Amino acid sequence: MLLITGGIISCSSTKDKYTDVTDIEDEFKIEKSGAQLWGEACNRCHLAPSPADYNDTDWNTISLHMRVRANLTEKEITKIETFLKSAN
């Protein structure tokens, strides 16, 4: 609502759920699988190793190290780690 009073313009509005762009982005965001994240994140800097190259314990250590190096979120690294361990 636009209100003009004595040369002063005032605008008052109610905020609905789509006022913020991030709200819209979150609603339509498509979640990537662990395999997709692995392919994108790991191949960004080096050839990604085969999931069968390491055992679960090795993948735990590698995941911790690469989470920091690749600036991955906890959710992303968990999905990647689950994918990699599924090959063992």
Side-chain angles (χ1 to χ4, degrees):
M1 172 203 290
L2 187 60
L3 179 63
I4 302 175
T5 325
I8 299 173
I9 298 175
S10 172
C11 182
S12 66
S13 65
T14 58
K15 183 176 178 177
D16 61 63
K17 85 177 214 179
Y18 294 111
T19 303
D20 190 1
V21 175
T22 56
D23 290 343
I24 296 169
E25 290 174 355
D26 287 344
E27 186 166 329
F28 295 104
K29 185 182 267 185
I30 297 172
E31 293 284 327
K32 293 184 180 181
S33 70
Q36 290 172 311
L37 291 168
W38 167 76
E40 292 173 9
C42 300
N43 284 311
R44 202 174 352 176
C45 300
H46 57 81
L47 291 175
S50 167
D53 284 351
Y54 299 99
N55 63 37
D56 289 355
T57 305
D58 292 337
W59 281 126
N60 287 336
T61 304
I62 294 166
S63 296
L64 179 62
H65 176 74
M66 293 312 299
R67 177 180 180 205
V68 174
R69 302 273 324 232
N71 195 28
L72 298 169
T73 66
E74 181 68 31
K75 187 175 182 179
E76 291 170 329
I77 201 64
T78 300
K79 285 182 171 186
I80 292 170
E81 201 172 319
T82 301
F83 165 70
L84 293 170
K85 290 178 178 180
S86 71
N88 295 329

